[in-house]
Amino acid sequence: MSTASSSAIAPFLESRSSRQLYHDRTLALLSTLAATSSPQTTSLLTLPNHPTHSSERRSTSTFLLRPPSSEELSVLLDPSLCNCRLVNPNVEIRLMYRVAGNGEGKSMAKWDLSAALKEQVRNNGFGGEWLILGVLLDGPDDATTTTATASSSAASALSNVAGLSNNTLLSECILEPGSSLHDNSEVSRTHVMKHASIVGCGSVTCPRSVVEASRKKCRFDMQRGSMDVEVGPEAGGGRLVRVCVESTLVDVCRDLNMDSGVTLAPLVPQPPTPKHDDVPAIPMNSLAPRSSLLHTPTAAHVALLPHSTIRSAQSVLSALLLPHAAISWGVTASHALLQWDATLTSHSDAHRVFLMERSEVGPHSFTANAIYGPDAHVSGGEVHCTVFGPNANGHHQSLLIGILWPLGRGNVGYGSNVGSNHTGRIPDQETSVGEGTFWGLGSVIKFPVD
């Protein structure tokens, strides 16, 4: 591979490596929890520092996990102090905090964290079998929080306040020191990292049934960041494309055999297939540093990379967002992969979709089984079983069915009906479209064309 090609795909490979680091962090914490021989066991765990934390002077940090002392538990449950409740009386709580330096873990295990708990934890319900509760300390694990300005929204202000408050149920979660969870009905099976936030949500869960259903429907694999998208004939028998969240249009065209007779190697190779393609023992949502999940009634089986956000969506199931991607404002989405700065917005419906860098769907769009190239934009229309190429636009009420448009750079005019088949018959064919095509106002293409 040439030097130019190597530098071009470097961000894709770095993204895959970063995702794996966050996944490994979750596994390390779960493994430490599982390895404890008794509820009273104290553990030390060394983890790599988040690459987004430029202020860190060391590449790793050591954390201490231990059960709360009787005094700390009393502070948590005292109605006049933390006012928390044990929804499950047998829940095993682990306090997690950062060790100041080498060799200090043994002495810090005896520290009384009551004062920090009173400042950071208030009015929560603890349930499930276990809970890792992160606590910030004034020194070894301090986090700089941003003071909200007068113009900031309440959600933005709360997302900058480290700690837990007014959560009806927290169950089987990893809540690292510096995470922010406020005013949620239920958060379970979720790993929230430092500076990540969940505010004002209804149900944030990761049930095994959702993970298994996603695997069965489109082989959605959160760890590998991949799924199947079926383009072409909408009635079935279309072309099945295996996409990864770091895939490019070159890789998509290769899977579609649209390489002009030249056999191309994948530009970004698919990650290796795991030996055992089973659902993880403990499926978990994951929120990386600086990501946020705000005011969303339902979210399940989601992974947010740094600076990505789900904000005021209606429902989000099985979604992976790379940095600065967003799902917002009344969107209903399922089985979605979003690259950098990609957006689903404004009361759109999106199911089994892959949005490449800086592409956008919304407002008021409906899309299913679709791949959007970089900088593509659809609003107010419907796109089904389609490869919508780079810099292609459909800004008006229109309909695309079974369109293969990998080179894009065209436009869909108001009222266009492209890719529909014979009137009254099922959409059982596809249309190949060349670069720069302009579908004019009211165009109706009833027969497949090339």
Side-chain angles (χ1 to χ4, degrees):
M1 183 178 292
S2 68
T3 303
S5 298
S6 298
S7 68
I9 69 170
F12 298 88
L13 300 180
E14 290 170 2
S15 172
R16 182 175 297 170
S17 176
S18 177
R19 286 195 298 109
Q20 188 62 46
L21 284 174
Y22 292 125
H23 177 74
D24 292 344
R25 188 181 186 91
T26 303
L27 290 183
L29 284 160
L30 289 175
S31 297
T32 300
L33 185 69
T36 55
S37 56
S38 74
Q40 301 305 313
T41 301
T42 297
S43 305
L44 287 173
L45 176 64
T46 298
L47 296 171
N49 285 326
H50 299 292
T52 55
H53 291 176
S54 58
S55 60
E56 297 285 2
R57 293 174 294 176
R58 295 179 294 176
S59 59
T60 62
S61 294
T62 300
F63 291 88
L64 195 149
L65 280 78
R66 66 167 176 82
S69 65
S70 57
E71 293 81 4
E72 291 164 339
L73 187 59
S74 296
V75 168
L76 283 172
L77 301 180
D78 191 327
S80 64
L81 298 175
C82 291
N83 190 34
C84 294
R85 306 163 300 283
L86 298 182
V87 179
N88 175 12
N90 298 319
V91 59
E92 294 183 6
I93 299 175
R94 293 287 189 278
L95 301 182
M96 176 182 179
Y97 53 99
R98 187 171 171 179
V99 175
N102 296 329
E104 297 190 27
K106 185 175 181 180
S107 61
M108 291 186 66
K110 301 177 182 179
W111 282 18
D112 184 3
L113 304 186
S114 296
L117 290 171
K118 286 187 285 186
E119 291 180 357
Q120 300 172 35
V121 183
R122 178 72 180 174
N123 193 29
N124 303 286
F126 302 142
E129 297 181 4
W130 55 269
L131 180 72
I132 295 179
L133 179 60
V135 182
L136 281 175
L137 302 180
D138 289 338
D141 196 28
D142 193 19
T144 302
T145 58
T146 304
T147 302
T149 62
S151 60
S152 298
S153 67
S156 298
L158 279 176
S159 65
N160 289 320
V161 178
L164 320 173
S165 68
N166 303 320
N167 300 290
T168 305
L169 176 62
L170 300 175
S171 169
E172 298 178 4
C173 292
I174 302 172
L175 310 177
E176 293 197 32
S179 59
S180 302
L181 289 88
H182 306 282
D183 300 335
N184 302 293
S185 296
E186 177 188 5
V187 181
S188 65
R189 296 287 180 93
T190 301
H191 182 184
V192 188
M193 302 180 199
K194 188 175 183 179
H195 297 305
S197 58
I198 303 177
V199 178
C201 293
S203 173
V204 180
T205 63
C206 193
R208 176 174 293 273
S209 58
V210 171
V211 180
E212 291 176 343
S214 295
R215 291 250 176 148
K216 183 176 181 181
K217 182 178 180 66
C218 59
R219 293 200 299 160
F220 191 100
D221 188 328
M222 188 68 79
Q223 179 183 350
R224 301 178 75 224
S226 59
M227 70 173 179
D228 292 339
V229 179
E230 190 171 12
V231 299
E234 189 185 28
R239 306 175 187 233
L240 202 62
V241 183
R242 184 68 175 171
V243 296
C244 175
V245 71
E246 287 91 12
S247 292
T248 67
L249 272 175
V250 173
D251 303 315
V252 171
C253 290
R254 179 181 180 274
D255 281 355
L256 290 171
N257 296 318
M258 302 178 73
D259 52 9
S260 302
V262 179
T263 302
L264 298 173
L267 188 60
V268 181
Q270 289 277 349
T273 303
K275 294 181 180 179
H276 303 286
D277 194 28
D278 298 326
V279 175
I282 304 180
M284 298 282 286
N285 299 316
S286 175
L287 277 76
R290 309 291 181 185
S291 64
S292 58
L293 177 51
L294 310 174
H295 296 294
T296 297
T298 303
H301 193 210
V302 298
L304 282 69
L305 275 290
H307 301 281
S308 62
T309 184
I310 298 175
R311 184 186 185 97
S312 300
Q314 185 63 35
S315 172
V316 181
L317 306 178
S318 299
L320 170 56
L321 285 69
L322 292 191
H324 299 282
I327 298 176
S328 58
W329 311 124
V331 165
T332 300
S334 65
H335 311 107
L337 302 176
L338 278 69
Q339 285 189 355
W340 309 272
D341 293 286
T343 303
L344 289 171
T345 188
S346 302
H347 303 283
S348 297
D349 277 22
H351 307 281
R352 207 167 169 182
V353 295
F354 174 33
L355 277 67
M356 294 187 185
E357 186 175 7
R358 291 187 176 276
S359 58
E360 182 171 345
V361 172
H364 306 290
S365 302
F366 184 89
T367 182
N369 274 296
I371 298 172
Y372 292 87
D375 295 292
H377 185 193
V378 170
S379 59
E382 295 187 34
V383 179
H384 304 266
C385 302
T386 289
V387 177
F388 199 73
N391 298 105
N393 292 276
H395 292 293
H396 308 285
Q397 187 66 47
S398 56
L399 172 66
L400 299 178
I401 298 177
I403 305 299
L404 303 181
W405 197 0
L407 295 180
R409 297 181 179 85
N411 191 72
V412 182
Y414 180 84
S416 298
N417 186 349
V418 184
S420 62
N421 276 271
H422 308 277
T423 302
R425 298 187 182 183
I426 60 175
D428 58 356
Q429 301 182 64
E430 65 188 25
T431 296
S432 296
V433 182
E435 181 179 7
T437 301
F438 187 108
W439 303 102
L441 299 176
S443 299
V444 178
I445 310 300
K446 289 192 176 183
F447 296 92
V449 296
D450 292 326

